[in-house]
């Protein structure tokens, strides 16, 4: 007798995304899983037996089922907020002006350094829960608001605890090279020395899945970023980069040189950078929340990404300053509105390509043999996930076959 499945959903249509484009739809579908992995994905009519004979838990569903959403770029562990800076920007102050006046990232650094681990967890958990309720089953969380060893370590520990408490897969990214802390003013190279020295210590504690940096005029130079990437490579850690957001410093090409997972923001990426990303298989992570909040006008080179078949992911960039966004669906909607992505491109960006940007090939698609991460939606068509501005559309969210919401 065939081993019984742990669960089976029948009735809803499936957007499997198991194709090179489009939704790869299966009407009146069936989704079965065992031991946290999908074991059947197909039409209900092709089930090998009656549902009750196959699974211990059978769910009759309506609407649509998609892979669990993957938010591949967030800074959701932080303390305090920066609502006042939002007001200043509305009054005409630029991001760079606020940063150079002691605001921006450094203001959040002060709040994070003052928070203990439990306090930081208490402030960050609601943000992660909001993403989960909106269909996210995998989330990347960066450090970068501590900027000293103890605070960076505390942020990464909190990120791990969020995953443990909520059942989400949390992918941690070390972003020590995010900004220059006040105690290193005028000594950026010395600070990069410290960032490089902290990395193996944090990695030894199992706190680092990938390494990132902010390569920008108000961040770190390409040469300084290269030193961080070389330290990551020595430990066998993948790299990604805040690249070409405010100017073109060749960040996308630098990621490609190191065989990196992704270049993120990429509004100013050059044609040469696009070609380099295509050659190495790096993902372009689009962050329309920051584009929206900062009222940017320089679009990423979307046509070039399509022409060269560079995968485009979509993420929230959840952070206190430039993208206080707690819905990956809303990020998808903004990607359609600002960047003219199709709803199918946006959904693939928040699933298939988001998983690729994290180096996680076991999710992002509904296919037998992959993780049973999926969301059931109260919609009549997958395009509604990008159509509605907000709203409570997820009726159930599963990760590894376990219902989380």
């Amino acid at each position: 007798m065939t081993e019984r499945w742990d669960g089976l959903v029948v009735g809803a249509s499936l957007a499997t995304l198991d194709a090179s484009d489009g939704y790869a739809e299966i009407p009146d579908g069936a989704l079965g899983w065992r031991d946290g992995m999908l074991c059947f994905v197909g039409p209900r009519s092709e089930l090998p037996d009656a549902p009750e004979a196959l699974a211990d838990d059978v769910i009759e569903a309506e609407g649509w089922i998609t892979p669990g959403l993957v938010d591949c770029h967030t800074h959701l562990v932080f303390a305090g907020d920066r609502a006042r800076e939002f007001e200043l920007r509305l009054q005409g102050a630029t991001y760079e002006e606020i940063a150079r006046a002691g605001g921006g990232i450094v203001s959040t650094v002060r709040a994070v350094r003052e928070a203990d681990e439990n306090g930081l967890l208490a402030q960050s958990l609601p943000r992660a829960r909001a993403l989960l309720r909106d269909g996210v089953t995998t989330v990347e969380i960066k450090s970068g608001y501590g900027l000293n060893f103890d605070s960076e370590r505390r942020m990464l520990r909190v990120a791990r605890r969020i995953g443990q408490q909520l059942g989400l897969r949390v992918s941690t990214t070390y972003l020590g090279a995010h900004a220059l802390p006040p105690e290193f003013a005028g000594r950026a190279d010395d600070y990069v020395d410290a960032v490089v020295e902290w990395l193996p210590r944090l990695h030894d504690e199992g706190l680092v899945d990938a390494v990132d940096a902010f390569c920008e005029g108000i961040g770190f130079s390409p040469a300084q970023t290269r030193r961080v990437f070389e330290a990551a490579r020595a430990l066998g850690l993948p790299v990604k980069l805040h690249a070409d957001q405010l100017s073109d410093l060749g960040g996308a090409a630098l990621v490609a040189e190191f065989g990196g997972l992704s270049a993120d923001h990429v509004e100013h990426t050059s044609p040469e950078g696009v070609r380099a990303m295509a050659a190495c298989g790096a993902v372009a992570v689009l962050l329309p929340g920051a584009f929206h909040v900062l009222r940017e006008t320089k679009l990423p080179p979307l046509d070039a990404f399509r022409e060269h078949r560079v995968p485009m992911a979509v993420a929230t960039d959840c952070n206190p300053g430039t993208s206080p966004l707690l819905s990956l669906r809303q990020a998808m909607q903004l990607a359609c509105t600002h960047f003219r992505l199709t709803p199918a491109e946006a959904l693939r960006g928040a699933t298939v390509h988001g998983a690729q940007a994290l180096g996680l090939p076991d999710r992002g698609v509904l296919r037998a043999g992959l993780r049973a991460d999926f969301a059931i939606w109260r919609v009549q068509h997958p395009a509604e996930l990008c159509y509605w501005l907000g709203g409570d559309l997820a009726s159930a969210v599963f990760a590894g076959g376990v219902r989380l919401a």
Side-chain angles (χ1 to χ4, degrees):
M1 180 179 175
T2 303
E3 184 178 358
R4 287 175 65 83
W5 303 343
D6 297 329
L8 172 63
V9 181
V10 295
S13 297
L14 310 180
T16 70
L17 308 183
D18 195 9
S20 59
D21 56 21
Y23 298 113
E25 305 172 19
I26 300 177
D28 191 19
L31 199 70
W33 64 93
R34 182 174 56 238
D35 298 329
M37 308 297 287
L38 295 172
C39 55
F40 183 91
V41 180
R44 173 158 54 176
S45 62
E46 294 183 8
L47 284 169
D49 206 335
E52 294 74 15
L54 293 168
D56 296 325
D57 182 20
V58 178
I59 301 169
E60 287 276 355
E62 297 179 347
W64 282 78
I65 300 176
T66 71
L69 303 185
V70 179
D71 197 349
C72 65
H73 182 129
T74 87
H75 305 253
L76 71 79
V77 171
F78 60 85
D81 66 68
R82 293 188 352 229
R84 175 56 182 155
E85 293 178 17
F86 176 65
E87 291 185 317
L88 291 174
R89 283 198 302 274
L90 293 176
Q91 294 165 11
T94 67
Y95 182 73
E96 293 92 335
E97 288 169 347
I98 291 170
R100 296 191 190 283
I105 293 168
V106 175
S107 66
T108 299
V109 170
R110 290 192 294 269
V112 167
R113 288 181 175 184
E114 292 170 359
D116 63 19
E117 185 171 315
N118 287 334
L120 193 55
L121 177 67
Q123 292 189 58
S124 302
L125 267 174
R127 295 187 278 270
R129 286 197 180 100
L131 293 175
L132 168 60
R133 286 193 299 269
D134 206 38
V136 169
T137 55
T138 300
V139 61
E140 185 252 23
I141 301 177
K142 304 177 189 294
S143 68
Y145 291 135
L147 307 187
N148 61 36
F149 177 78
D150 288 340
S151 299
E152 290 288 295
R153 179 175 180 266
R154 186 160 62 250
M155 289 187 69
L156 293 167
R157 284 174 54 86
V158 167
R160 288 283 192 238
R161 289 176 65 184
I162 287 172
Q164 293 162 2
Q165 290 201 23
L166 299 186
L168 293 166
R169 163 61 192 264
V170 171
S171 181
T172 55
T173 297
Y174 174 55
L175 183 57
H178 194 196
L180 192 64
E183 62 269 25
F184 280 89
R187 297 188 297 125
D189 286 331
D190 291 341
Y191 179 64
V192 172
D193 288 341
V195 168
V196 168
E197 190 270 329
W198 300 335
L199 176 55
R201 297 164 62 188
L202 296 168
H203 181 244
D204 286 346
E205 293 188 32
L207 295 175
V208 181
D209 296 324
V211 175
D212 193 354
F214 183 34
C215 185
E216 194 54 73
I218 60 171
F220 296 89
S221 69
Q224 291 161 344
T225 300
R226 179 181 295 277
R227 291 175 54 203
V228 176
F229 280 7
E230 288 171 346
R233 183 163 59 186
L235 295 170
L237 287 167
V239 299
K240 57 186 69 177
L241 187 63
H242 285 65
D244 310 333
Q245 178 185 9
L246 306 173
S247 61
D248 180 15
L249 296 184
L254 182 59
V255 165
E257 179 184 337
F258 281 81
L261 292 171
S262 68
D264 303 26
H265 287 289
V266 294
E267 282 92 336
H268 291 262
T269 295
S270 67
E272 294 76 16
V274 173
R275 288 193 291 270
M277 291 177 66
C280 86
V283 176
V285 178
L286 307 179
L287 302 171
F291 184 93
H292 177 78
V293 170
L294 293 175
R295 295 186 291 176
E296 295 287 354
T297 57
K298 174 69 173 177
L299 292 171
L302 301 161
D303 289 340
F305 289 144
R306 292 187 181 104
E307 177 186 354
H308 292 280
R309 299 187 180 277
V310 174
M312 293 184 288
V314 176
T316 62
D317 193 18
C318 172
N319 75 71
T322 62
S323 189
L325 180 54
L326 297 177
S327 165
L328 184 48
R329 272 201 316 106
Q330 183 68 72
M332 292 158 58
Q333 203 282 336
L334 291 173
C336 293
T337 300
H338 288 304
F339 300 159
R340 300 297 191 267
L341 265 62
T342 67
E345 285 180 319
L347 180 57
R348 297 178 70 83
T351 52
V352 182
H353 298 149
Q356 186 177 344
L358 297 180
L360 298 174
D362 63 343
R363 66 200 68 203
V365 173
L366 299 180
R367 181 194 306 150
L370 300 189
R371 276 181 56 90
D373 291 3
F374 59 94
I376 307 174
W377 303 96
R378 290 183 288 265
V379 297
Q380 299 302 308
H381 190 273
E384 288 187 54
L385 300 178
C386 298
Y387 165 71
W388 292 106
L389 288 163
D392 180 16
L393 300 186
S395 60
V397 181
F398 288 75
V402 177
R403 183 167 182 171
L404 303 183

